[in-house]
Amino acid sequence: MESGRPGATPSEPPSSSAGHRAGAPDRLPAGPAALVGVLGLGAGLAVGHLVAGVLGPNASPFLAVGNTAIDLAPAPVKEFAIRTFGTHDKLVLIGGMGVVLLGLAVVAGLLSRRGPRPGTVFAVVLGAVGVAAVWSRPDLGPVDLLAPVAALVVGVVVFRWLHAVAVRRGARVGDGASAEGVEGAAVDGAAVDGSPAGAGTGRRRFLVMSAGVAVGAGVAGTGGQLLAGRGDTGGSAVGLGPLTPATPAPPIPAGADFAPLGTPSFITSNSDFYRVDTALSVPRVRVENWALRLHGGVDREVVLGYADIRDMPLVERTVTITCVSNEVGGEYVSTSNFIGVPLRDVLERAGVKPGADQLFSTSVDGWTCGTPVADVLDRGLLAIGMNGEPLPIEHGFPARLVVPGLYGYVSATKWVVDLELNRFDDKQAYWLERGWAQRAPIKTQSRIDAPSPFTTVPAGSVTVAGIAYAQQRGIGKVEVRADGGPWRTAELGTEVNLATWRMWRVELDLGPGEHTVECRATDRTGATQPEARVAPTPDGATGWHSTQFTVG
C-alpha cells in the first residue's frame, strides 16, 4: 500500500523529525554549559594569580578586587563584619566573593548554550573589573596590570575553546531531540535517541579536556601561591638575629596578672595578639627592600633604611594596644613588649618644623593614618620588634608605629613606609574619610573574664576576675556588683605602667542559681566608666560589661 511506504528502510527517520532537527539551532546541555563557564573563570583567575606571584601577590585580580571592595565598603558594613566575624572577616569576604563569582560563571555558561557570546562578554567585563581594581590600588604600578590582563585573555580563550570543544564533540542536544531510547544503541550511525553515534566518545573527550583545564588551573593557582611566598619575609626576619634593646623594659612584677583565675597573661604572645586591619593579603616586605621616607613639615627630606633604624639606640616598652572596633567586653586588646626607636629621635633626623599637628603615616599597601604630633613626640615608637623577636609579618614587619593611649586606627600603622608632617586640615586618613573621630584617646574600660558566660561554677565563694585599661591615665579602681546589689571594690593587680592594662579580682558570696555580675572601672583622673552602652563609632565604645553564670 502507498501509505505503508514499503521501500522505506528501518533507519530512515520520520520526515517531520528530520525537518525539525534540520531547522532548529543546536544548544549545549545545561551541565556542560555551566561547566564551561566555571572552568573559563577558574582558568583566568588562576593564571592571574600565577602572574601576580611573579609581580607581587596583591596584583592578583581576585585580591585586588577584594581589597578595593574593602576600601569602598561603607563604614557600617566594615563594623558589622568585624563585630560579626571578628578576625575571620577576611576569610568570609574571600569565601563570599568566590561563591558570587561561581554563581555568575554558572549563569554566564547557561546563557551561552546557543553560542559563546554571552560568556565572552561576561569574561571581558570581569577582566575589565580586575584591570580597574589593580590600576586603582595605591601599592601597585602599571606593570602589575599584566596579571589582570593575562587573566582576561586566558579566561576568554579557555571559555571559547571549551565551548567549541563541547559543541564539536557532541556534548549538545537538538532543541527538540528526544532523550528516550535504548542507551548506547545505534542503527546506521545514529543512536536511537537521534544523537550521533560518536556522542559518547565526544562527551568523554570533552570531560577529559575539562579535567585537564581544571588541573591546569589548580597548578597555576598553586604556583602563584608558591611564587608569592618565595620572597617570604620569614627568612629575612630570621637573618636579623635577636633584638637587644639598649634600654630594656622593666621585668613584669609578680602579681601583675591573675592568669590562674582566668585573666589573660600580662604579656600577650605574638601568636595570640589580636589583628584587625584592612589587608586582605598580608604585605610581605623584605628588610633589604624596605625604606622609610620622612617629609612634609621638616627641614630636609630623609629616607632611612632598616639598618639605619637598627643602628639607633633601641628601647623596649610594655604597651597595651586597643582597637576602636572593640565592643564593651571585646577581645581586641593585647599587650606586648615592643622594641624600637622613639619617633621623636627618628623625626629629628629630618628636623621637625613648628606648626604641624598631624603625623600622616602610610603603609606599604596604601592604608593611611593620622596621629597627633604632640602624642607622637611625647611617647611614639617606631617598633621593629615584639616580645624579643622581629615583628611578625602580620603585625607589621619590618616596622610599625606604636603610640600608647590612642586607639589603633590613629596610632598603629603597620608595614609603615612613609611619614609626613602636616596638619589635619591638609589630609584626611583612611578612617577619618569614613566618619571616625580625628583624635581618639582610649576610653576607660573594664571586662569580666571569669567566670565565663553561661557556665556553672561550684557553690560557695565565687572568684570574679578580669582586666581594665585607661592607657596614659591608669586605673584607680574597679568595682563589681552582683544582681544589681551594692558595688564591691576589687583587688587590683600590680601596676606595670600607665600604658598597659591592669588585672583585677574579687570574691563574691553567691547563693545557688543564676546570677548577673557587672563591672566598672575608674581611672586615675576620677572618671568612671559610664553605664550607658555606646557603639564603637566614631571614637570607641562605652558601657558596663556584664556576664551571666550559674552557681551550682
Side-chain angles (χ1 to χ4, degrees):
M1 296 175 58
E2 185 69 20
S3 61
R5 301 182 65 194
T9 65
S11 62
E12 182 180 353
S15 59
S16 61
S17 175
H20 177 81
R21 275 198 284 274
D26 291 328
R27 62 172 182 164
L28 290 178
L35 182 61
V36 169
V38 170
L39 290 177
L41 171 71
L45 290 178
V47 169
H49 201 63
L50 177 63
V51 176
V54 177
L55 301 174
N58 284 342
S60 168
F62 184 81
L63 295 180
V65 171
N67 282 322
T68 301
I70 291 174
D71 288 348
L72 295 179
V77 174
K78 295 174 185 285
E79 296 161 30
F80 171 80
I82 294 174
R83 182 171 62 251
T84 305
F85 305 112
T87 55
H88 301 295
D89 57 339
K90 297 174 183 64
L91 291 177
V92 172
L93 173 62
I94 291 174
M97 288 175 55
V99 170
V100 170
L101 287 174
L102 181 64
L104 291 175
V106 169
V107 171
L110 293 177
L111 291 176
S112 303
R113 294 179 67 185
R114 295 188 183 277
R117 179 175 296 178
T120 303
V121 172
F122 167 76
V124 170
V125 170
L126 197 64
V129 170
V131 170
V134 170
W135 179 258
S136 68
R137 298 305 302 163
D139 56 324
L140 301 176
V143 70
D144 295 305
L145 291 172
L146 290 174
V149 169
L152 189 160
V153 172
V154 170
V156 170
V157 169
V158 169
F159 174 80
R160 293 186 68 90
W161 174 68
L162 275 181
H163 192 282
V165 169
V167 172
R168 186 170 62 250
R169 298 302 182 185
R172 68 181 188 272
V173 293
D175 226 8
S178 169
E180 299 174 357
V182 180
E183 182 178 359
V187 181
D188 288 349
V192 173
D193 66 356
S195 60
T201 302
R203 292 189 182 97
R204 283 194 294 273
R205 289 176 181 173
F206 168 72
L207 291 176
V208 169
M209 292 181 179
S210 297
V213 171
V215 171
V219 170
T222 302
Q225 199 66 24
L226 293 175
L227 285 171
R230 80 196 186 286
D232 194 345
T233 58
S236 178
V238 171
L240 296 175
L243 296 174
T244 304
T247 307
I252 304 301
D257 66 41
F258 301 120
L261 302 179
T263 70
S265 58
F266 194 86
I267 297 296
T268 310
S269 67
N270 290 353
S271 60
D272 291 334
F273 204 98
Y274 84 89
R275 177 195 166 200
V276 175
D277 52 53
T278 63
L280 191 58
S281 174
V282 176
R284 297 176 179 271
V285 185
R286 297 184 66 86
V287 294
E288 54 267 32
N289 301 327
W290 178 82
L292 179 64
R293 180 189 178 209
L294 312 177
H295 63 111
V298 296
D299 296 328
R300 56 198 168 276
E301 183 173 321
V302 173
V303 176
L304 300 175
Y306 191 87
D308 297 318
I309 303 300
R310 182 74 182 269
D311 290 344
M312 297 175 72
L314 300 179
V315 301
E316 184 179 41
R317 293 176 179 169
T318 308
V319 178
T320 296
I321 295 181
T322 307
C323 180
V324 74
S325 299
N326 225 12
E327 298 282 352
V328 173
E331 298 179 349
Y332 301 145
V333 52
S334 301
T335 300
S336 178
N337 283 322
F338 289 98
I339 299 173
V341 179
L343 276 167
R344 174 185 288 274
D345 296 347
V346 174
L347 293 174
E348 282 180 354
R349 292 288 185 99
V352 179
K353 290 182 177 179
D357 62 359
Q358 174 180 231
L359 180 66
F360 192 86
S361 54
T362 304
S363 170
V364 70
D365 63 354
W367 187 85
T368 56
C369 169
T371 312
V373 169
D375 296 298
V376 168
L377 297 178
D378 178 55
R379 56 187 181 277
L381 187 72
L382 178 67
I384 61 173
M386 189 171 173
N387 290 334
E389 304 173 357
L391 286 171
I393 297 169
E394 63 272 19
H395 291 295
F397 182 85
R400 66 172 297 168
L401 302 190
V402 175
V403 184
L406 304 176
Y407 285 117
Y409 81 99
V410 297
S411 69
T413 305
K414 294 184 281 190
W415 315 290
V416 63
V417 293
D418 190 278
L419 298 177
E420 178 184 356
L421 282 161
N422 57 31
R423 298 192 62 80
F424 281 105
D425 292 339
D426 298 333
K427 283 187 178 180
Q428 282 199 326
Y430 184 92
W431 282 111
L432 267 69
E433 292 178 337
R434 288 155 178 81
W436 290 74
Q438 179 174 282
R439 303 172 189 268
I442 295 171
K443 296 181 178 179
T444 301
Q445 286 285 346
S446 60
R447 182 185 81 193
I448 299 170
D449 288 285
S452 300
F454 309 114
T455 56
T456 299
V457 298
S461 181
V462 177
T463 299
V464 180
I467 66 169
Y469 51 87
Q471 288 94 311
Q472 299 311 118
R473 300 182 302 280
I475 293 296
K477 67 176 178 179
V478 172
E479 299 170 289
V480 180
R481 71 176 182 181
D483 306 316
W487 290 100
R488 292 273 308 277
T489 300
E491 174 191 350
L492 295 177
T494 305
E495 185 175 70
V496 174
N497 63 51
L498 296 181
T500 61
W501 55 14
R502 199 165 183 187
M503 312 301 181
W504 57 265
R505 67 178 179 183
V506 66
E507 298 290 329
L508 300 179
D509 293 323
L510 301 174
E514 295 183 355
H515 297 277
T516 299
V517 174
E518 301 168 290
C519 65
R520 66 182 184 188
T522 300
D523 63 33
R524 291 281 182 81
T525 70
T528 298
Q529 180 179 346
E531 178 181 7
R533 285 289 184 107
V534 173
T537 311
D539 60 355
T542 62
W544 294 345
H545 185 227
S546 64
T547 189
Q548 294 178 314
F549 56 89
T550 301
V551 174

